[in-house]
């Protein structure tokens, strides 16, 4: 039986999880204001054992989104990368084929989602998806988290030879008036 302190941290963690929408992806770092790292990790393990949350990978959890026919859904690569960025206090930027897909420039959904980061390299497999975090230069991270950064990465992926008027028109429609002025 957990100690009274452990139970309190456990209840606070569960309350925070239930306060979020289903589909939330998190790490122990999201709860360090509630207790020590060891206490938080133990509480998360108890919640996993009780099937109240799901362990996606070492140190990575979610409050699974449930579909009436498909059951528990796997989180998006973006949700997973956001949780890892929070844990490492880093920034991320979708890159390559994943960036092109997010902008609707490619209908192909890549099995490997690549994100540029200012943290260490990391490769993670969750379900059938591979999430790759690649350390890059500060210059490449200057536009991280903005639409312009996503567009830059998608255009790099497409290459100059594959950028035509249709691509430019599509991207222009995605920009707000403020984005265009900028």
């Amino acid at each position: 039986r957990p100690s009274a302190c452990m139970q309190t941290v456990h209840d606070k963690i569960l309350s925070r999880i239930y306060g979020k929408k289903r589909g939330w992806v998190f790490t122990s770092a999201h709860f360090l204001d509630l207790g020590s790292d060891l206490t938080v990790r133990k509480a998360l393990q108890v919640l996993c054992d009780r099937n109240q949350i799901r362990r996606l990978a070492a140190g990575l959890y979610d409050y699974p989104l449930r579909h009436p026919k498909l059951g528990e859904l796997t989180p998006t690569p973006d949700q997973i990368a956001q949780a890892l960025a929070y844990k490492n206090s880093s920034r991320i930027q979708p890159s390559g084929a994943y960036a092109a897909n997010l902008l609707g420039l490619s209908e192909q959904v890549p099995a490997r989602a690549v994100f540029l980061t200012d943290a260490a390299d990391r490769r993670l497999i969750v379900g059938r998806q591979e999430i790759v975090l690649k350390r890059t230069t500060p210059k490449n991270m200057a536009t991280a988290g903005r639409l312009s950064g996503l567009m830059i990465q998608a255009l790099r992926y497409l290459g100059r030879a594959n950028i035509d008027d249709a691509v430019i028109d599509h991207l222009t429609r995605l920009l707000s008036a403020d984005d265009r002025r900028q």
Side-chain angles (χ1 to χ4, degrees):
R1 179 180 170 144
S3 68
C5 176
M6 174 70 176
Q7 193 62 42
T8 304
V9 171
H10 176 273
D11 291 342
K12 289 178 181 176
I13 289 172
L14 193 57
S15 177
R16 183 172 295 171
I17 291 169
Y18 286 165
K20 300 283 185 176
K21 291 182 181 175
R22 279 196 172 272
W24 184 46
V25 181
F26 52 90
T27 69
S28 61
H30 286 85
F31 306 100
L32 292 179
D33 59 317
L34 303 177
S36 71
D37 186 48
L38 180 62
T39 305
V40 168
R41 285 188 288 124
K42 282 184 178 182
L44 291 172
Q45 183 58 52
V46 169
L47 292 171
C48 282
D49 293 344
R50 293 180 183 166
N51 292 322
Q52 291 176 291
I53 62 172
R54 176 174 58 178
R55 183 176 175 269
L56 300 170
L60 186 67
Y61 307 88
D62 78 336
Y63 180 39
L65 193 58
R66 289 201 172 101
H67 186 276
K69 293 182 181 171
L70 301 175
E72 290 184 347
L73 302 178
T74 303
T76 66
D78 196 52
Q79 290 171 304
I80 293 166
Q82 291 289 347
L84 294 173
Y86 182 87
K87 177 182 180 184
N88 299 323
S89 298
S90 61
R91 296 177 298 157
I92 57 166
Q93 174 66 58
S95 182
Y98 186 61
N101 177 265
L102 289 173
L103 289 171
L105 296 174
S106 167
E107 291 182 16
Q108 185 175 8
V109 179
R112 183 175 185 232
V114 178
F115 293 84
L116 300 179
T117 184
D118 51 6
D121 288 352
R122 183 158 182 195
R123 181 178 167 267
L124 189 67
I125 295 178
V126 177
R128 294 182 181 161
Q129 358 179 47
E130 181 180 8
I131 293 91
V132 177
L133 301 179
K134 282 186 174 179
R135 185 171 179 83
T136 191
T137 63
K139 178 183 172 187
N140 284 333
M141 293 305 295
T143 56
R146 297 194 304 226
L147 181 60
S148 57
L150 188 61
M151 288 183 174
I152 290 166
Q153 293 305 315
L155 291 171
R156 276 190 182 151
Y157 168 75
L158 291 175
R160 190 174 295 225
N162 296 313
I163 300 170
D164 56 16
D165 289 339
V167 170
I168 301 298
D169 289 344
H170 178 78
L171 292 178
T172 302
R173 284 192 301 274
L174 297 176
L175 294 171
S176 69
D178 286 344
D179 291 332
R180 282 191 209 115
R181 275 194 300 275
Q182 205 175 29

